[in-house]
Amino acid sequence: MKKQSLLLLLMILSITGYAQIKFEQGYFIDNNGIKTECLIKNVDWHDNPSQIEYKISEDDEAKIDYIRNIKEFAVSDLKYVKATVNIDMSSEELNHLSANKNPEFKEATLFLKHVVQGEANLYQYEEGNLIRYFYQVGDKDIEQLIYKTYRVTQEIVNGVAKERTNKIDKNNRYKQQLWTDVKCDNMKESDAVKTNYKKNSLIKYFVKYNACKDPNFVNTRKQEDRDLFNLTIRPGINFSSLKSNVDLSNFVINNNSRDISNFEDQSGLRFGIEAEFILPFNKNKWGIFIEPTYQSYKSELVIEYINFLGTNTRTYTVDYKSIELPIGLRHYMFLSDKSKLFVNAAYVLDFEFDSTFVLRNNSSTPIVNKLKSKTNIAVGFGYKYNDRYSIEARYATSREIGGIFDYSSFSVILGYSLF
C-alpha cells in the first residue's frame, strides 16, 4: 500500500506539473537592441535566472535563450536587466562569515531584477540565501549597495592571560551611499539612516526620492502583495484500520485460541488547526504547513474458545487517542484566479495520551498495556476555492503502536481559512 500511494503521488505531481507550464505575455531585447514581443514562461524566479523559455505564439514550439544573447526581458510585472557588475558574494551564514569588513568583489554578468524604475533605479539579485541590492542614478553605472556581516576577533585581557573571542559586526556602508548619491531636497539624512537592507524598506526610500524628483512618478515595477500566511480550521472524518503484527493469544495464559490479526475498521471525527506559510517565490505555488490534529480509534474483539472448563470468552479492547502533528510541504496548481488543486506530503509526529490495550479473560483480572506510538508519512490531494474553502483526501501510511499494532488511516478533510 505504501508503494501504491507513493506511485499515485508521483503520477499526480507529473501530470499536474505538466499542466502548470504557463506562458505569459512579455518581451525580450537582444544584444543588438531588437525587441521581440512573445510569451515567456513565468516561473516567478526565486534565484535570478540565467535563461528564459519563450514562444512567439501559443501554437509555436517553446525555445530557450540565454543571458549571453539577451540584455533585457520582462513578463507580467517582472523585469530583468543584464548588467556586468562587481558583486560581493561573501556568505551570510554564521559558520562561514568572513573576517574582512570590506566587500570582496568579483565581476559577474547577471540578470538583475528591476524593483524600482525611475531617476534612481533599484535592482535585486538573489541566489540561495544570498541577497544583494544594486542601484543606478541617471546614466551612471550600476553599483552594489554595500552591506556585509563579518566576524571580529578581539582580545580580552584577564589578569595575565589573554582570551580571544569572536563577535559579529555589520558594514552598513549602503546608508552612506544612499545619502551621498540618492538624496533630494525634501529628504533627511535620517531617512537613509533608518532604511534597512530589506526590499520593502529600500523600495520606500527609492520611491520617495523619485517622487521628489518627479511629482508625476509612478513605480511601474509595483510589487505584488502576497498573503504568505494562512490559518485554517480542518475538521474531517478518519477511516481507520488496526492490524496486530503478533499473535494476540500470546498475551494470555491459555493459548487454545486462534490467531487474531485484524480489528474492525472504524470511522471517526478528526479536528485540526493548520498554520501554512506560503513561500514567497514561484508565484505562491509552494507552502509548508503544520497541523496539530486530534484523532481517536476504539475497537473491541470478543472471541469464544473451548477448553476443558467449557466455553470461555476472551476480549481484546484497543482505546487509542493522540494528537498528530503533520509537518509537510504543499504544491498548488492553479486552475483559475479562484480555484486551485494541491498535493502535499508530510512527516507525522504522534503524541498519544491515555491509550491502552486491555485483555480480559472471563472473570480474571484485566491485563492493561499502555500504548506508545511512532511516526509515519501522509500524502494528500485536494482542491481549494477562493483561498477560503478546501477539501482534501489524505492517506497515512502504517504507524506502529505499542510494538503490537499497525495503524493506518484514510481521511476526508474539510477546510475553512480564517485568514
Side-chain angles (χ1 to χ4, degrees):
M1 190 65 178
K2 292 181 182 180
K3 292 182 179 179
Q4 291 175 341
S5 62
L6 180 59
L7 179 60
L8 177 62
L9 178 63
L10 291 175
M11 290 175 62
I12 292 171
L13 284 172
S14 61
I15 294 171
T16 53
Y18 178 79
Q20 281 296 290
I21 297 177
K22 186 177 181 182
F23 289 81
E24 299 179 13
Q25 191 63 44
Y27 72 85
F28 67 86
I29 301 175
D30 66 19
N31 292 333
N32 296 320
I34 299 174
K35 183 176 181 179
T36 301
E37 301 284 347
C38 62
L39 300 169
I40 296 177
K41 184 178 179 183
N42 183 3
V43 296
D44 195 19
W45 297 267
H46 176 271
D47 291 356
N48 287 40
S50 58
Q51 63 185 45
I52 61 169
E53 188 174 354
Y54 72 96
K55 297 191 294 186
I56 299 301
S57 68
E58 285 284 1
D59 298 328
D60 284 346
E61 183 179 349
K63 300 178 182 179
I64 294 177
D65 210 344
Y66 301 90
I67 189 172
R68 63 176 177 267
N69 301 319
I70 301 172
K71 70 176 185 179
E72 179 183 311
F73 77 90
V75 56
S76 185
D77 61 342
L78 301 174
K79 179 181 176 182
Y80 287 86
V81 175
K82 180 171 72 175
T84 299
V85 294
N86 289 318
I87 182 171
D88 176 26
M89 304 290 285
S90 302
S91 175
E92 296 291 324
E93 296 180 9
L94 292 179
N95 293 333
H96 300 93
L97 290 181
S98 170
N100 185 359
K101 174 181 179 179
N102 297 315
E104 300 166 64
F105 286 125
K106 72 172 187 177
E107 187 177 87
T109 299
L110 310 167
F111 274 138
L112 300 179
K113 185 177 182 179
H114 210 161
V115 180
V116 176
Q117 182 171 333
E119 173 64 21
N121 295 284
L122 176 66
Y123 304 93
Q124 179 184 0
Y125 179 79
E126 189 166 1
E127 182 181 342
N129 294 325
L130 179 75
I131 300 178
R132 296 288 184 262
Y133 293 99
F134 294 79
Y135 74 109
Q136 179 186 38
V137 180
D139 296 328
K140 295 181 180 179
D141 292 338
I142 297 176
E143 296 183 37
Q144 182 185 319
L145 288 167
I146 297 170
Y147 171 85
K148 182 176 180 179
T149 304
Y150 61 98
R151 175 172 44 84
V152 179
T153 301
Q154 294 181 322
E155 291 187 348
I156 300 176
V157 179
N158 184 13
V160 178
K162 291 185 178 180
E163 179 185 355
R164 296 180 66 84
T165 184
N166 291 324
K167 74 169 188 175
I168 307 302
D169 210 340
K170 296 178 180 179
N171 179 346
N172 290 314
R173 193 173 131 203
Y174 74 93
K175 296 182 179 182
Q176 180 181 350
Q177 291 173 287
L178 291 177
W179 184 237
T180 301
D181 300 332
V182 193
K183 65 179 179 180
C184 192
D185 294 340
N186 69 347
M187 301 179 73
K188 301 177 182 178
E189 186 173 2
S190 59
D191 293 327
V193 171
K194 67 184 181 183
T195 299
N196 298 318
Y197 200 77
K198 302 289 184 182
K199 182 164 66 175
N200 288 340
S201 185
L202 288 167
I203 287 175
K204 183 179 179 181
Y205 186 92
F206 276 76
V207 166
K208 186 173 184 177
Y209 171 85
N210 286 324
C212 174
K213 289 292 186 178
D214 178 8
N216 297 317
F217 167 78
V218 176
N219 183 20
T220 58
R221 303 260 61 84
K222 185 176 180 180
Q223 300 300 302
E224 178 184 354
D225 292 329
R226 307 193 186 204
D227 181 9
L228 300 180
F229 177 75
N230 298 314
L231 185 67
T232 305
I233 298 174
R234 304 253 296 173
I237 301 175
N238 280 352
F239 301 93
S240 308
S241 63
L242 192 72
K243 180 179 180 179
S244 66
N245 51 35
V246 298
D247 183 352
L248 295 181
S249 62
N250 293 330
F251 283 84
V252 294
I253 297 174
N254 191 309
N255 287 325
N256 296 324
S257 173
R258 66 181 178 88
D259 177 28
I260 306 299
S261 59
N262 294 324
F263 281 75
E264 185 178 283
D265 291 350
Q266 297 286 339
S267 61
L269 297 177
R270 51 96 72 193
F271 184 81
I273 299 178
E274 178 189 87
E276 181 186 30
F277 302 88
I278 302 299
L279 301 179
F281 57 86
N282 200 216
K283 299 186 77 65
N284 295 3
K285 291 179 182 177
W286 292 94
I288 55 176
F289 65 90
I290 183 169
E291 183 189 355
T293 304
Y294 171 80
Q295 68 84 37
S296 64
Y297 172 95
K298 188 172 184 179
S299 185
E300 184 175 271
L301 278 175
V302 179
I303 304 300
E304 290 188 352
Y305 64 96
I306 300 174
N307 60 16
F308 66 93
L309 296 176
T311 301
N312 293 272
T313 60
R314 181 178 297 145
T315 303
Y316 305 82
T317 304
V318 173
D319 186 3
Y320 169 49
K321 301 182 290 291
S322 73
I323 299 295
E324 295 180 328
L325 191 66
I327 302 172
L329 181 68
R330 177 171 292 142
H331 179 61
Y332 287 102
M333 294 141 299
F334 294 92
L335 303 176
S336 67
D337 291 340
K338 290 188 175 183
S339 296
K340 52 190 172 183
L341 301 174
F342 63 86
V343 291
N344 47 237
Y347 180 73
V348 185
L349 303 172
D350 191 61
F351 304 93
E352 60 77 30
F353 57 92
D354 296 332
S355 296
T356 57
F357 172 43
V358 180
L359 312 173
R360 295 180 178 88
N361 192 23
N362 283 351
S363 59
S364 62
T365 303
I367 301 173
V368 180
N369 298 273
K370 293 289 186 180
L371 295 178
K372 298 294 182 182
S373 58
K374 294 189 177 180
T375 60
N376 66 322
I377 301 296
V379 293
F381 177 70
Y383 170 78
K384 193 166 189 178
Y385 177 74
N386 203 29
D387 281 331
R388 183 71 68 181
Y389 309 98
S390 64
I391 184 170
E392 178 186 344
R394 179 181 292 180
Y395 170 73
T397 60
S398 293
R399 173 193 303 150
E400 185 179 305
I401 302 174
I404 306 170
F405 304 105
D406 288 325
Y407 172 83
S408 59
S409 64
F410 175 81
S411 304
V412 177
I413 307 167
L414 301 177
Y416 178 78
S417 295
L418 300 175
F419 54 83

